[in-house]
Amino acid sequence: MRRILRGTPGKIVQRYASSISRSLRNTTPTAYKILRNAVARVEQIGSLGYKLHLNERERAANEVIMDLKTAEIQRGLLDPAKFSPGHHIFTMLTKIKESPLFNILKSMPKGGVLHAHDTALCSTEFLIELTYRKNLWICITDEGCKAIGFRFSVEEPTMKAMEGCTWEPMESFRERRGEENVRQYLMQRFSMYPFSNFRSNNQAWIHFMGIFILLDGLLLYAPVWGDYYYNALKEFHEDGVQYLELRSLLPQLYCLNGEKLKISDTVALYKSEVKRFVSENPDFIGSKLIYAPLRGVEPKIVDDYVKTCVALNKKFPDFLVGFDLVGQEELGRPLIDFVEQLLKMPEHINFYFHAGETNWFGSSIDENLFDAILMGTKRIGHGYAITKHPFAMNLCKYLDIAIEVCPVSNQVLQLGQDYRSHPAALLIAENVPIVISSDDPSFWRATPLSHDFYFAFLGIGPWSADLRFLKSLAINSIKYSAMQDKEKPAAFKKWQNKWDVWVEEVAKLNNK
Amino acid sequence: MRRILRGTPGKIVQRYASSISRSLRNTTPTAYKILRNAVARVEQIGSLGYKLHLNERERAANEVIMDLKTAEIQRGLLDPAKFSPGHHIFTMLTKIKESPLFNILKSMPKGGVLHAHDTALCSTEFLIELTYRKNLWICITDEGCKAIGFRFSVEEPTMKAMEGCTWEPMESFRERRGEENVRQYLMQRFSMYPFSNFRSNNQAWIHFMGIFILLDGLLLYAPVWGDYYYNALKEFHEDGVQYLELRSLLPQLYCLNGEKLKISDTVALYKSEVKRFVSENPDFIGSKLIYAPLRGVEPKIVDDYVKTCVALNKKFPDFLVGFDLVGQEELGRPLIDFVEQLLKMPEHINFYFHAGETNWFGSSIDENLFDAILMGTKRIGHGYAITKHPFAMNLCKYLDIAIEVCPVSNQVLQLGQDYRSHPAALLIAENVPIVISSDDPSFWRATPLSHDFYFAFLGIGPWSADLRFLKSLAINSIKYSAMQDKEKPAAFKKWQNKWDVWVEEVAKLNNK
């Protein structure tokens, strides 16, 4: 709005406002329509991507994309019941796979994912594959009905945290229950399906956190941890993603003999896997880490977090570059409780705080937005509540802080139902910096990024949002990444190379 | 945002923005908190009602109200499943009746209702009473299962529009089916219950329009029409409403012999009923009409609308004072199709256009907002999509155009589910003029205005919104009404008299 109120468009507003004098009824219909179209245009000029230049091939590709988008919207206008972004992703997943627009977005080089969590990256199919690994045990409760934990071990595991459940070797469990039954059971347990509607977001979060807990024993096994991350890079890469900025709790990994590794080993494992992946896929830009431990702790624990972060950053200065706190904001503590500890973080380690992932207004939860901004966050995770805080929204624009918008996550975790009501529409209209991310795609069986792009493009943005909008989102994901300025030109180049090839492929579909 | 960016707060933003230099990590925690609280305060200063002065008794009443509000919010923070504004009104209606906050809002003098439709005002109980009137016939279809029409007539009605159903005298229908069964059946048919979830807003609208159609034969009978309106005034008055600005299709009423009256008779009947009501209830301010025919028509029909409106305004210059078009915006035509006709409306007849009652963004539907504003609308009906249009939102602020926010209607007609996600939160934060209205309270078995106030106060506004917020809404409903400037002082006085009494009653509950 700032932009509109200054500069040229600002003058236009003022001129109109004074000349309208509350009615244009003495103008001709023709004159009226000229003015009206100018006013509609003024607003578009300020929106995300509007000023971006498209070359000839991009314009040809744009026509293909906009024809497909327009067809989906027009069908939706006739019958909103058939418009995918008006519904829950769980009910639309199959239908979306058939959408030609979705498939073009799938192949589009979308840049990087800047908001995703360590153990919620890979497809359910990959998780099920992991359960075939040797020495895996499963812990069963509720008279054999519910799996609550996994553990790799030669002998039967003995873990206090898992009391009250019965350990069984995975092979015998699978044999006893039938392979297909177990597969279907795990398909459900490893995701939020089929629950598209909870009584509250708290209940959705309980279910959500339960998946993380279940997966820990499976994924924190050192050999699996590396493979999981490598596979995530592979799946993201195949989905048109060239860079991944991961928030990780940095858990201590365990070995088959029960021995626990150091946290720095967890980081080292990440680093060696990404190195291996890039060497095998030279078009991949890379990956960086944001240390993101749990927020639901006493302030003194945050002192330890800060020390750990500083030490790890010293050891991995180009790789572990940022800090955040994770867990449900509403149940954890607000950032302001940790100010004393957080202000001790050295300037060169950036914050990437979750803030405002809530529907509450005027609570300590949405007011995390103020603390995130004032403590100098480089981006804001979710920021769902920020459109209720125009001042905070303005500060983001002034200070060039990007909002990490995660459309599917917000829907599954019950902040909103219809993508057309997502508050990021205003961020797009106002051109407050945003990136699109997927948060925990594993748990909603979504693609690593394409579904979020599809909903953002078709459901959240305006009908007129076109290839300039999509290209801006890809560019933003590199621009607002934690990469250093000196790293960015090479990153942009890797993206541009793939972009040009993709544009050419899409443009070829243009028969006009 | 304009206000924030100019004047004093604007300077504060700029000073902060330049001094923060992206991190305050070299400040002390104490200094940080002072700055942080100042920033949070800057935003509050710009919100609805913040600058209003409360006298001593109002401050005492405010403490009572805020204690009740805080208790409901704190319960909601612990378990959002129990927070009424997080759920559908249909599932919460009984619970809300027990809310002490709701009951205080019920007795509060709330000013006027500026957005309500002619045949959706009265309680279901009153509608059922009407079905006991003499000479009423009911038309049944689906092998006796579905009532699709009513008609007052001595002999069996003969109406082409009602072919395919069987007429039966209401007495015999009731006797044959059992009185209680019929009552329960009509309870459902006269409202949207129990359907809180439709597959799309279009499907909700089909159901919604079906109720209007069903009620026509019952309410368009001239003797009933007057009684219905009188009873509406009575129910609204009892709910703390002192003024009603009604949008009416102005149908031709019919008599027992089938004869049809003139449209001007419909207006005259309204006028005489309001006169009767005010003479019996001198604390009631009054009522005015907005002629609001259907928007789903050819442009040439709008020429007739304009002529009818001009003629009726000439006959009832102080009573029929405005024009609007009604019906589902998404299926009707956009305002721009009627520009030629609408620009012919004389300047002294004001527009009060519905616009942007939709989730679409960048369509001809939400762009109705531009046409409403540029054609000089005095208020905007719903304006649900306006927060996606910051320029239009700015124009409303500049031009002092109030948005008629109808929270319950928006939920029932499937624009949003959780009141905490209602876009009016931003209008409140930005102090864009709003009034709270109820649209069609009859169809959701809500009180004439209290439920909408309750959801706006507890669900849409920030936690900090207090009696100043409520008082501002009441004042706005008179300020932005179609009353002439010379009428307003007397109207304010009638409201103020009741306000002072109510404040005193609430203040007495304060034991501090």
Side-chain angles (χ1 to χ4, degrees):
Chain A
M1 226 173 273
R2 177 183 65 95
R3 191 197 31 66
I4 286 172
L5 289 168
R6 301 222 176 133
T8 313
K11 284 181 198 147
I12 296 173
V13 177
Q14 284 163 4
R15 202 156 55 236
Y16 286 170
S18 59
S19 70
I20 288 171
S21 81
R22 326 220 40 173
S23 171
L24 290 169
R25 281 182 230 173
N26 46 5
T27 59
T28 64
T30 311
Y32 173 87
K33 283 182 187 174
I34 290 168
L35 177 62
R36 190 272 196 198
N37 290 338
V39 168
R41 176 63 66 90
V42 166
E43 199 176 77
Q44 282 192 348
I45 290 171
S47 67
L48 175 67
Y50 195 86
K51 287 179 183 162
L52 208 72
H53 175 75
L54 295 184
N55 65 31
E56 191 215 316
R57 299 311 286 160
E58 287 173 325
R59 287 198 299 275
N62 190 38
E63 284 184 4
V64 173
I65 289 167
M66 290 309 282
D67 282 353
L68 296 174
K69 179 176 181 178
T70 296
E72 284 208 40
I73 290 179
Q74 282 176 336
R75 269 199 306 275
L77 283 164
L78 283 176
D79 184 1
K82 292 183 183 152
F83 186 63
S84 299
H87 305 281
H88 198 284
I89 184 176
F90 292 0
T91 65
M92 285 292 165
L93 205 67
T94 312
K95 186 169 179 258
I96 290 169
K97 277 188 194 134
E98 294 157 11
S99 155
L101 177 65
F102 173 74
N103 284 301
I104 279 190
L105 293 177
K106 211 167 154 353
S107 63
M108 174 184 144
K110 292 174 278 292
V113 165
L114 304 189
H115 187 121
H117 293 278
D118 48 11
T119 58
L121 305 171
C122 289
S123 61
T124 317
E125 289 71 22
F126 180 76
L127 290 174
I128 290 176
E129 269 178 43
L130 289 179
T131 65
Y132 282 88
R133 298 224 176 169
K134 223 177 131 183
N135 297 315
L136 182 62
W137 294 70
I138 187 167
C139 207
I140 306 294
T141 184
D142 285 3
E143 303 186 350
C145 285
K146 192 176 175 186
I148 59 163
F150 292 99
R151 184 83 179 178
F152 285 92
S153 180
V154 177
E155 302 293 324
E156 181 174 331
T158 50
M159 298 173 67
K160 280 186 191 162
M162 287 289 166
E163 274 171 13
C165 65
T166 313
W167 287 108
E168 182 176 3
M170 193 64 204
E171 292 95 333
S172 88
F173 177 73
R174 207 184 310 269
E175 201 166 300
R176 199 165 54 74
R177 301 283 285 268
E179 183 166 11
E180 181 55 23
N181 292 339
V182 169
R183 199 189 66 83
Q184 287 196 1
Y185 173 71
L186 293 179
M187 278 289 285
Q188 192 195 311
R189 286 287 283 136
F190 289 160
S191 77
M192 299 286 283
Y193 284 73
F195 306 104
S196 57
N197 194 11
F198 291 85
R199 184 71 185 150
S200 74
N201 64 326
N202 282 21
Q203 286 171 19
W205 268 88
I206 289 169
H207 193 90
F208 178 63
M209 295 308 291
I211 307 174
F212 280 109
I213 292 164
L214 174 68
L215 286 175
D216 269 0
L218 182 66
L219 303 183
L220 267 56
Y221 180 47
V224 165
W225 188 260
D227 291 352
Y228 182 88
Y229 182 55
Y230 186 90
N231 182 73
L233 296 175
K234 186 167 157 278
E235 289 187 15
F236 277 60
H237 186 227
E238 284 166 3
D239 195 46
V241 175
Q242 289 170 274
Y243 176 76
L244 173 59
E245 213 158 292
L246 196 67
R247 280 165 166 91
S248 179
L249 291 168
L250 296 181
Q252 286 184 269
L253 306 179
Y254 72 92
C255 301
L256 199 56
N257 59 5
E259 187 199 338
K260 278 197 170 183
L261 303 182
K262 298 196 301 290
I263 292 185
S264 62
D265 294 330
T266 311
V267 182
L269 194 51
Y270 273 132
K271 205 179 165 184
S272 69
E273 290 298 323
V274 72
K275 196 175 166 195
R276 179 161 76 96
F277 189 81
V278 173
S279 75
E280 287 164 19
N281 300 276
D283 64 338
F284 196 75
I285 296 167
S287 179
K288 287 189 190 288
L289 276 193
I290 296 166
Y291 176 41
L294 294 169
R295 72 186 314 134
V297 295
E298 292 296 310
K300 63 176 188 287
I301 303 291
V302 177
D303 260 327
D304 301 335
Y305 288 169
V306 171
K307 282 176 202 152
T308 303
C309 190
V310 169
L312 290 171
N313 171 262
K314 207 165 185 176
K315 203 171 162 100
F316 306 94
D318 299 331
F319 186 56
L320 190 147
V321 294
F323 183 80
D324 185 16
L325 291 164
V326 302
Q328 189 183 356
E329 259 182 282
E330 287 161 10
L331 302 186
R333 280 170 177 267
L335 290 173
I336 200 161
D337 284 8
F338 305 131
V339 160
E340 196 181 326
Q341 291 73 31
L342 292 171
L343 289 177
K344 291 179 193 157
M345 187 72 81
E347 279 273 5
H348 74 282
I349 299 178
N350 286 318
F351 291 132
Y352 297 90
F353 285 127
H354 277 74
E357 187 185 4
T358 187
N359 271 329
W360 292 105
F361 181 18
S363 67
S364 63
I365 310 145
D366 51 307
E367 289 186 354
N368 274 330
L369 288 163
F370 289 126
D371 292 298
I373 293 168
L374 291 179
M375 281 196 273
T377 200
K378 290 281 178 182
R379 301 192 304 263
I380 291 175
H382 294 289
Y384 195 85
I386 201 165
T387 58
K388 293 172 179 169
H389 293 284
F391 188 16
M393 201 158 61
N394 253 327
L395 286 173
C396 287
K397 205 164 164 170
Y398 275 110
L399 302 174
D400 211 21
I401 297 168
I403 314 296
E404 299 163 352
V405 176
C406 304
V408 179
S409 169
N410 298 153
Q411 184 188 53
V412 176
L413 293 173
Q414 310 282 298
L415 291 181
Q417 290 226 329
D418 188 321
Y419 290 97
R420 293 173 301 165
S421 300
H422 196 287
L426 176 57
L427 304 180
I428 290 164
E430 272 289 306
N431 206 7
V432 175
I434 63 167
V435 293
I436 299 296
S437 276
S438 50
D439 205 6
D440 310 278
S442 173
F443 297 178
W444 16 100
R445 296 187 201 156
T447 50
L449 186 57
S450 298
H451 283 93
D452 289 283
F453 257 68
Y454 174 74
F455 289 123
F457 184 55
L458 188 62
I460 304 177
W463 189 344
S464 62
D466 61 10
L467 187 59
R468 293 171 298 177
F469 173 94
L470 294 168
K471 190 177 174 182
S472 299
L473 289 175
I475 291 171
N476 279 359
S477 75
I478 296 172
K479 179 178 173 192
Y480 293 100
S481 75
M483 279 185 270
Q484 292 170 39
D485 285 345
K486 64 180 180 192
E487 298 174 291
K488 285 181 184 171
F492 272 119
K493 192 162 187 313
K494 283 191 180 184
W495 168 78
Q496 183 81 51
N497 288 344
K498 286 178 87 86
W499 177 262
D500 291 342
V501 171
W502 175 78
V503 165
E504 190 52 43
E505 278 167 15
V506 178
K508 275 187 198 152
L509 304 171
N510 192 333
N511 301 319
K512 282 176 193 167
Chain B
M1 226 171 276
R2 177 180 65 92
R3 190 197 32 67
I4 286 173
L5 290 170
R6 300 227 175 128
T8 314
K11 284 179 197 145
I12 296 172
V13 178
Q14 284 162 5
R15 202 157 53 237
Y16 285 170
S18 57
S19 70
I20 288 171
S21 81
R22 324 217 43 171
S23 172
L24 290 169
R25 280 181 231 175
N26 46 3
T27 60
T28 65
T30 312
Y32 172 86
K33 283 182 188 173
I34 291 168
L35 176 62
R36 189 269 196 201
N37 291 338
V39 168
R41 176 64 66 89
V42 166
E43 197 176 79
Q44 282 191 348
I45 291 171
S47 67
L48 175 66
Y50 195 86
K51 288 178 183 162
L52 209 71
H53 174 74
L54 295 184
N55 64 32
E56 190 216 317
R57 297 313 284 159
E58 286 172 327
R59 286 198 299 275
N62 189 39
E63 285 184 4
V64 174
I65 289 168
M66 290 309 283
D67 283 353
L68 296 174
K69 179 176 181 178
T70 296
E72 285 208 38
I73 289 179
Q74 281 176 336
R75 269 198 307 274
L77 283 164
L78 283 176
D79 184 1
K82 291 181 182 152
F83 186 64
S84 298
H87 305 281
H88 198 283
I89 185 176
F90 292 1
T91 65
M92 285 291 165
L93 206 67
T94 312
K95 186 170 178 257
I96 291 168
K97 275 187 194 135
E98 294 157 10
S99 155
L101 177 64
F102 173 74
N103 285 298
I104 280 192
L105 294 177
K106 212 168 152 358
S107 64
M108 172 184 146
K110 291 173 281 289
V113 165
L114 304 189
H115 187 122
H117 294 278
D118 46 12
T119 57
L121 306 170
C122 289
S123 61
T124 317
E125 291 70 23
F126 180 76
L127 290 174
I128 289 175
E129 268 179 44
L130 289 179
T131 66
Y132 282 87
R133 297 224 175 169
K134 223 177 129 181
N135 297 315
L136 182 62
W137 295 70
I138 187 168
C139 208
I140 305 293
T141 182
D142 285 1
E143 302 187 351
C145 285
K146 190 175 177 187
I148 59 164
F150 292 100
R151 184 81 180 178
F152 286 94
S153 179
V154 178
E155 303 293 324
E156 180 175 332
T158 50
M159 296 174 69
K160 278 188 191 160
M162 287 290 166
E163 274 171 11
C165 66
T166 314
W167 287 107
E168 181 176 4
M170 194 63 204
E171 293 94 332
S172 89
F173 177 74
R174 207 184 311 269
E175 202 164 300
R176 197 164 55 74
R177 301 283 284 266
E179 182 166 10
E180 180 56 21
N181 291 340
V182 169
R183 199 190 66 83
Q184 287 197 2
Y185 174 71
L186 293 179
M187 278 289 285
Q188 193 197 311
R189 285 286 284 137
F190 288 161
S191 77
M192 299 286 283
Y193 284 75
F195 306 105
S196 56
N197 194 11
F198 291 86
R199 183 73 186 147
S200 74
N201 65 327
N202 282 22
Q203 286 170 20
W205 269 88
I206 289 170
H207 193 91
F208 178 64
M209 295 309 291
I211 308 173
F212 279 110
I213 292 164
L214 174 69
L215 287 174
D216 269 0
L218 183 66
L219 303 183
L220 267 54
Y221 180 47
V224 166
W225 188 260
D227 291 352
Y228 181 89
Y229 182 57
Y230 186 92
N231 181 74
L233 296 174
K234 186 166 159 283
E235 290 186 14
F236 276 60
H237 187 226
E238 285 166 3
D239 193 48
V241 175
Q242 289 172 275
Y243 175 77
L244 173 59
E245 213 158 289
L246 197 67
R247 280 165 166 90
S248 178
L249 291 167
L250 296 181
Q252 286 183 272
L253 306 178
Y254 72 91
C255 301
L256 200 57
N257 60 6
E259 187 198 339
K260 278 197 170 183
L261 302 182
K262 297 196 301 290
I263 290 183
S264 64
D265 294 330
T266 310
V267 181
L269 194 52
Y270 273 130
K271 204 179 169 185
S272 70
E273 290 298 323
V274 72
K275 196 175 167 195
R276 180 161 77 94
F277 189 82
V278 173
S279 76
E280 288 164 17
N281 300 277
D283 65 339
F284 196 76
I285 295 167
S287 180
K288 289 191 190 286
L289 277 191
I290 295 166
Y291 175 41
L294 294 169
R295 69 186 317 133
V297 296
E298 292 295 311
K300 63 176 190 288
I301 303 291
V302 177
D303 260 327
D304 301 336
Y305 288 168
V306 170
K307 281 177 201 151
T308 303
C309 190
V310 169
L312 290 171
N313 170 264
K314 205 164 188 179
K315 204 170 162 106
F316 306 95
D318 300 329
F319 186 57
L320 189 145
V321 293
F323 183 80
D324 183 16
L325 291 165
V326 301
Q328 189 183 355
E329 258 181 282
E330 288 161 9
L331 302 185
R333 281 170 176 269
L335 290 173
I336 200 160
D337 285 7
F338 305 131
V339 160
E340 194 180 327
Q341 292 74 31
L342 291 171
L343 289 177
K344 291 179 192 157
M345 188 72 82
E347 280 272 6
H348 74 282
I349 299 178
N350 286 317
F351 290 132
Y352 298 90
F353 285 127
H354 277 73
E357 187 185 4
T358 187
N359 271 328
W360 293 105
F361 181 18
S363 68
S364 62
I365 310 145
D366 51 306
E367 289 188 353
N368 274 330
L369 288 163
F370 289 126
D371 292 297
I373 293 167
L374 291 179
M375 281 196 274
T377 200
K378 289 283 178 181
R379 299 191 306 262
I380 290 174
H382 294 289
Y384 194 86
I386 201 164
T387 58
K388 294 173 180 169
H389 293 282
F391 188 16
M393 201 157 61
N394 253 327
L395 286 172
C396 286
K397 204 163 166 175
Y398 275 111
L399 302 173
D400 211 21
I401 297 168
I403 315 295
E404 299 163 353
V405 177
C406 304
V408 180
S409 170
N410 298 154
Q411 185 187 52
V412 176
L413 294 174
Q414 310 284 298
L415 290 181
Q417 290 225 329
D418 187 321
Y419 289 98
R420 292 173 301 164
S421 299
H422 195 288
L426 176 58
L427 304 180
I428 290 162
E430 272 290 303
N431 205 8
V432 175
I434 62 166
V435 293
I436 299 294
S437 276
S438 50
D439 204 7
D440 309 280
S442 173
F443 296 179
W444 17 100
R445 296 187 202 155
T447 50
L449 187 57
S450 298
H451 283 92
D452 288 283
F453 257 67
Y454 174 74
F455 289 123
F457 184 55
L458 188 62
I460 305 178
W463 189 345
S464 63
D466 62 10
L467 188 59
R468 294 171 296 176
F469 173 95
L470 295 168
K471 189 177 176 182
S472 298
L473 289 175
I475 291 172
N476 278 358
S477 75
I478 296 172
K479 179 178 174 192
Y480 294 101
S481 76
M483 279 186 269
Q484 293 169 39
D485 285 345
K486 65 180 180 191
E487 297 173 290
K488 285 180 184 172
F492 273 118
K493 193 162 187 315
K494 284 191 180 185
W495 167 77
Q496 183 81 51
N497 289 343
K498 286 179 87 85
W499 177 262
D500 291 341
V501 172
W502 174 78
V503 164
E504 191 51 43
E505 279 167 15
V506 178
K508 275 186 198 154
L509 304 172
N510 191 333
N511 300 319
K512 284 177 193 169

